[in-house]
Amino acid sequence: MTDKVTIYEVAARAGVSISTVSLVLNSPTRVRQATRERVLTAADELGFVPKADAVTRARKGVGRIGVIAPFSSYPSFSRRLAGVFAAIGAEALEVVVFDQQSAASASSPLLASLPITRRLDGLIIMGLPLEDAVVERLRAQRLPTVVLDSPRPRFEAVVTDDEAGGELVARYLAERGHRRFGYVGEAQRSHAYVSPSESRLAGFRRVVDGGLPDEAVRLVRHDVGQARAATHELLDLADPPTAIFAHDDTLAGGVLAAARDRGLAVPGDLAVVGFDDSDLAQALDLTTVRQPFEESGRLALRALLDQMQGSPTGRRTTVLDLELVVRATA
């Protein structure tokens, strides 16, 4: 029945032109939110499936899953995606990859449009906050969904405990005699959700108590140059930190650059710790927290397949272990 519904009917139900429906399905950022919502609601009510898409999938006889993440902003998500592909094995699955600009911004129209087109049999959402309207739309469509690192109570999730990661770094540095700390984190444009940077900072502060005053916290764009400039500001404080924890390895690279600018010995004059254990961390010989990126992708895919095959999952949340990797910088 659903493949008989046409784009003309969707346009008529929504009270818009056919070209507007096409834009909503293919370039949602070019359509005003109110209009987009009206079209998506009409598509929901009618059970619309783009005809060419339905024919292609019927010919292939495969399932299609979507993976959406800020791939171009954070290289770590490519490693998670590699885990997804590794777990596919002999499964007859087609993977469609969707990019988001930044996990530090609010969820986008692209995310809202994915489940409505009915082009997917399952969806993995990595590191992106979900608006309530998106949650309701996914639930209404009964689209099997797994979220990774942005848990919501109504979805199965694979997560790491960012607060525990911050605590892990703080204990390590405190045990080595540090009492004055700095933090270089990622600023976020929306506070409708708690970001990994905020969580890591919260965990870190819980351990160091008064050792990290507000003036010793700098929030910047995800950029080495900005982290470098922020570190210079921290080192100019009346009581500069002897140890700096960076939100991730990229920002830690900026911290190390600032230390080099000043001729500081690392870790003798300044200890530096990052987060992720990326290729950059290994190249810089950076002490960091290792996240199991590939494992998280594998587990997310297996959880999604369980849902797609009708296995009860109980909306479980899988929490992955973090590991402090000690190298030359702390």
Side-chain angles (χ1 to χ4, degrees):
M1 175 181 175
T2 56
D3 60 350
K4 296 180 181 179
V5 176
T6 68
I7 194 172
Y8 298 94
E9 293 171 89
V10 175
R13 174 71 68 94
V16 299
S17 67
I18 298 168
S19 61
T20 298
V21 176
S22 180
L23 280 174
V24 169
L25 297 175
N26 297 293
S27 301
T29 56
R30 296 175 58 187
V31 184
R32 291 174 52 195
Q33 182 176 353
T35 302
R36 187 173 62 248
E37 291 294 334
R38 196 161 69 248
V39 172
L40 296 177
T41 298
D44 275 347
E45 293 172 349
L46 294 171
F48 173 69
V49 178
K51 184 175 180 181
D53 204 59
V55 170
T56 298
R57 289 179 59 197
R59 185 185 306 122
K60 288 184 176 180
V62 300
R64 174 183 283 180
I65 66 169
V67 181
I68 180 167
F71 292 108
S72 59
S73 299
Y74 307 98
S76 60
F77 285 100
S78 295
R79 292 174 59 187
R80 298 184 195 274
L81 182 62
V84 171
F85 283 116
I88 287 176
E91 298 285 348
L93 283 177
E94 178 182 49
V95 179
V96 185
V97 176
F98 301 89
D99 186 35
Q100 286 286 96
Q101 288 187 345
S102 173
S105 63
S107 52
S108 81
L110 175 62
L111 181 59
S113 75
L114 286 176
I116 306 308
T117 62
R118 294 179 183 259
R119 295 175 176 177
L120 302 172
D121 299 304
L123 180 64
I124 297 174
I125 303 170
M126 299 181 175
L128 294 170
L130 302 182
E131 294 175 353
D132 289 342
V134 177
V135 173
E136 292 306 316
R137 192 166 289 129
L138 287 167
R139 297 291 295 175
Q141 288 290 316
R142 297 188 178 182
L143 181 70
T145 302
V146 175
V147 294
L148 201 158
D149 276 354
S150 293
R152 291 293 294 251
R154 301 178 72 178
F155 295 113
E156 189 162 359
V158 178
V159 303
T160 52
D161 189 336
D162 286 302
E163 289 196 19
E167 293 176 354
L168 185 65
V169 174
R171 283 194 298 270
Y172 176 78
L173 292 173
E175 288 168 359
R176 274 141 192 82
H178 293 284
R179 296 295 179 266
R180 298 196 310 275
F181 304 95
Y183 181 74
V184 178
E186 183 180 19
Q188 59 191 96
R189 292 186 287 276
S190 169
H191 290 275
Y193 72 106
V194 179
S195 70
S197 182
E198 288 179 318
S199 295
R200 292 168 196 173
L201 174 58
F204 190 85
R205 269 188 154 150
R206 191 154 46 238
V207 173
V208 302
D209 197 17
L212 183 63
D214 289 342
E215 64 179 5
V217 175
R218 292 292 185 276
L219 301 178
V220 300
R221 291 199 309 270
H222 193 248
D223 176 80
V224 171
Q226 287 225 342
R228 187 178 197 167
T231 302
H232 280 297
E233 294 176 3
L234 293 177
L235 295 174
D236 284 335
L237 294 173
D239 291 311
T242 63
I244 294 179
F245 174 34
H247 158 68
D248 69 2
D249 297 338
T250 297
L251 298 186
V255 176
L256 289 173
R260 186 182 62 238
D261 292 342
R262 296 192 175 218
L264 297 178
V266 176
D269 298 324
L270 180 69
V272 181
V273 180
F275 207 102
D276 283 349
D277 195 27
S278 62
D279 291 341
L280 177 63
Q282 298 176 43
L284 295 174
D285 208 13
L286 175 70
T287 296
T288 188
V289 176
R290 176 178 294 157
Q291 293 203 67
F293 290 124
E294 289 82 3
E295 182 184 359
S296 68
R298 286 193 294 268
L299 290 174
L301 190 278
R302 295 314 311 173
L304 185 65
L305 289 177
D306 285 346
Q307 291 185 41
M308 291 169 62
Q309 294 163 3
S311 301
T313 63
R315 297 175 188 168
R316 63 194 172 198
T317 296
T318 302
V319 182
L320 302 179
D321 292 332
L322 298 171
E323 176 188 358
L324 183 71
V325 179
V326 178
R327 296 195 179 98
T329 64

